[in-house]
Structures are given as structure tokens and as C-alpha cells.
Amino acid sequence: MKTLVCAEPGRFLMADTRIPEPGPGQVLLKVRQVGVCGTDLHAFEGTQPYFSYPRILGHELGCKVADANGFSEFREGEAVTVIPYFACGDCIACRKGRPNCCVSLAVYGVHVDGGMREYIAVPASSVVSGGGLGTEALALVEPLAIGAHGVHRVGIVAGEDVLVVGAGPIGLGLMRFAALAGARIIALDVNRRRLDACRVLGVHDLIDGSSEDAEARIRELTVGRMPDVVIDATGNLQAIRTAFRYLSHAGRYLLVGLQKGEVSFSHPEFHKREATLMSSRNATRDDFERVLAAIRNGSVHPNDFITHRVGLEEAANLFPDWLNPASGVVKAMVHL
Ligand SMILES: [Zn+2]
Ligand SMILES: [Zn+2]
């Protein structure tokens, strides 16, 4: 079967591998769509912290069940997605019901080989039934679940002002779920095309940090209060440091994006606000179910996020372009 392998940073190779046999506890899935995410692009670039090579990328999966391997909850041919975070089930985080930040977490397509191939064998416990959704929409559930998880974690309540820094696919998901929680959204990015993508989601308070005085605009839009919640979805050290000063007194700062360096900030500024600093990692099954429900009831539209549809070979050639935000890529879907 066709398998796209990231051989080393900057180089893909197309391999012919054997269709896996599902082991005990596993089901065999036919992969239909794989979403390309910032993690994949950074892995290809060689700037993702948790990577070793060679690696098969791909953790945003829309699949059909090829062999249910005796699991009666799945029908052959049924459309499903995969929760790509394999947790130990026994560590302090897992015992607290937070397997998304398991001490020994293995992320499919990151720490272990992922889904950019025609068939995969995965634990049945990681498979989520699509409940009538198509496989392309299902491949979008994981990145949206990251947004749903962040919004749930930071506890957004109706009427709050929420600033989302970074209007990539994760940022857009955060905006959508924050809006569904009743927040008023301000989007900040340094890329005009990315900001324009926010309009489809009904976000109209857009700040272009490359040409505008972001702090003054945020102050104006919040009538001097500043945002109750600031969310970083850039994973850019400079952006993360700068955004501390956009936070209201008694505000919460949520880091969803990830970068490699150390974050530092003014202690007096943090202290006087009595601010809360949180990180948000991955998502849980509840978040996946929340996203599935939101797509099914029409409050989230997959087509608002998908900008590119390509085949496996074409994807390999386009990765270098997609690293450049000027390419206008929000979410590229690889169709197998
Ligand atoms: Zn992803
Ligand atoms: Zn664990």
C-alpha cells in the first residue's frame, strides 16, 4: 500500500508497505482523508520539539472501518475518526481523567507512525464513530477538538471578551467554540489572509499586528477593560510574551500554541492582575463528542476551515509551500 514517509527534515519518500494485521484490541481502518496540521508542517521543517525520523505523519483522520476484528460496536464500512493520543491509563493525569496530558503520552503521527498511508491498525478504544458524518468532516474533528478543549479548559462564560492571537486552523477552532460559549471575539494575527478567513466564522473585530497598534485597538474594542481571556494559538515566543500585556485584571491567559523556548514575563504586571496562566494540551473524548455534535447540529461548518484538497503525492510536493502563511492555507485535506 502507498505510504508517505517523512525520511528526514525537508524530505518525503513514497514507500510501498504491507497492509497491517490488526492485533488484539485493534481494528483495521481504511484511511480516506488526513488533515495537514501545523505539527506536520513543523515536523517536516524539523522544528517540532517531540520528533524523530523517519516518521509517517498524520493524526487528523477520516477513515472507514475495514476490519472490525470482532468489536461489535463497529460496522465494516462505517465512517470513523481516531483520537490520536495514546495514554497509559494509569499515571497521575490519567487517573484524574486527563489522558490528554498523560505522563507517557504517545501521539499518533508524532511519537509513533501515523496515518499518511492507505490502511492503519489502531486500538479500538481510540476509534470514534462518526454518527452519520462523512470522512472529510471527521478528519477535521481532531483539530477542532483542540479548540473545544481550550475553550472548555479556560472556562469561557457568555459575555466575556476573548482575544485569540493566531488565526490558523487551531485559532479559528478556538474562536468558533468561544463564540458558541457566548464570548465576544477579537482576532489578532500578522497575516491579512488569515484574518480574512475569520470573517466566515462571523468574527469581525480583526487586528493586523503587522500594521496596527494592537494594544491600542484592543483597548478601544474592549472600552478600556482589556480581554477577560487571552488565548495564544501562534506558538510564537514573541507573540506569547507580548500578549501578557493585553490581559485584563483578573484575567486568564491560555497557551494552546507550543514553541521550544522559555516563556518569561513581568512578575509585577502578572501579580497586579492576579492573572491565571494555563496551558491546554490536545483534547479528550468529550471534546471529540462536543465537536461531532456541533458539526451535526450545524453550528460548525467543515467547509469554513478547509482551503485545499490534494492527493498524497501532491501533498508531499506542497508541504514546503504550506510552510509559508502567504500560501493562504488554513486546512489542507489529503485525500487517499
Ligand atoms: Zn493536528
Ligand atoms: Zn497516563
Side-chain angles (χ1 to χ4, degrees):
M1 63 172 180
K2 274 193 299 187
T3 303
L4 185 62
V5 182
C6 187
E8 59 188 14
R11 191 166 69 89
F12 278 119
L13 66 87
M14 191 65 78
D16 184 13
T17 62
R18 290 167 62 97
I19 295 176
E21 283 287 324
Q26 291 189 322
V27 293
L28 182 71
L29 306 179
K30 173 138 184 56
V31 179
R32 300 298 303 275
Q33 281 87 19
V34 184
V36 176
C37 132
T39 304
D40 303 314
L41 294 170
H42 294 136
F44 174 74
E45 188 184 38
T47 54
Q48 224 286 345
Y50 311 124
F51 257 87
S52 62
Y53 304 85
R55 179 66 69 226
I56 302 168
L57 306 179
H59 58 271
E60 305 179 358
L61 303 166
C63 304
K64 292 218 162 164
V65 176
D67 179 354
N69 198 20
F71 285 91
S72 57
E73 61 267 50
F74 302 114
R75 277 181 298 106
E76 264 144 44
E78 178 185 359
V80 296
T81 188
V82 176
I83 303 174
Y85 326 121
F86 300 158
C88 77
D90 194 42
C91 73
I92 184 164
C94 286
R95 283 168 187 260
K96 286 180 181 172
R98 293 169 60 179
N100 57 303
C101 59
C102 168
V103 172
S104 45
L105 192 73
V107 178
Y108 199 65
V110 176
H111 307 94
V112 296
D113 282 336
M116 289 211 181
R117 44 182 159 168
E118 290 175 271
Y119 289 89
I120 55 175
V122 293
S125 57
S126 303
V127 177
V128 183
S129 289
L133 297 181
T135 51
E136 190 181 67
L138 289 168
L140 201 63
V141 172
E142 191 271 345
L144 290 174
I146 306 269
H149 184 74
V151 166
H152 189 69
R153 173 144 170 74
V154 79
I156 289 170
V157 295
E160 286 192 306
D161 285 313
V162 175
L163 170 68
V164 178
V165 186
I170 297 296
L172 292 177
L174 284 157
M175 289 176 212
R176 189 67 201 123
F177 283 94
L180 290 174
R184 190 171 142 243
I185 314 298
I186 303 169
L188 169 61
D189 201 294
V190 292
N191 182 294
R192 195 69 239 178
R193 290 182 71 165
R194 291 200 148 187
L195 284 170
D196 287 338
C198 301
R199 289 183 206 279
V200 226
L201 300 180
V203 177
H204 298 288
D205 290 329
L206 310 173
I207 304 173
D208 183 346
S210 70
S211 60
E212 295 179 80
D213 179 345
E215 189 168 351
R217 282 274 288 135
I218 295 164
R219 197 170 293 287
E220 183 186 302
L221 288 166
T222 56
V223 209
R225 294 186 305 262
M226 303 306 277
D228 303 277
V229 175
V230 174
I231 303 178
D232 177 77
T234 67
N236 175 285
L237 180 56
Q238 192 52 46
I240 290 170
R241 291 183 63 172
T242 305
F244 270 93
R245 62 168 184 265
Y246 303 151
L247 193 60
S248 73
H249 280 235
R252 286 109 69 204
Y253 190 13
L254 180 74
L255 303 184
V256 180
L258 174 66
Q259 50 83 41
K260 279 180 162 180
E262 290 189 10
V263 178
S264 64
F265 50 90
S266 158
H267 193 171
E269 289 295 320
F270 188 63
H271 185 85
K272 78 180 184 192
R273 286 170 170 77
E274 197 179 47
T276 303
L277 176 61
M278 285 182 169
S279 64
S280 178
R281 187 179 182 196
N282 302 324
T284 62
R285 182 174 280 269
D286 284 351
D287 300 311
F288 274 66
E289 294 294 350
R290 231 174 255 138
V291 173
L292 288 168
I295 297 176
R296 260 189 234 114
N297 73 22
S299 49
V300 169
H301 304 282
N303 280 329
D304 292 348
F305 300 86
I306 300 167
T307 50
H308 295 61
R309 291 178 173 89
V310 301
L312 200 57
E313 288 87 353
E314 206 184 341
N317 295 326
L318 284 170
F319 258 62
D321 292 352
W322 291 338
L323 276 164
N324 179 2
S327 67
V329 70
V330 175
K331 179 56 68 184
M333 277 294 162
V334 181
H335 284 236
L336 276 90

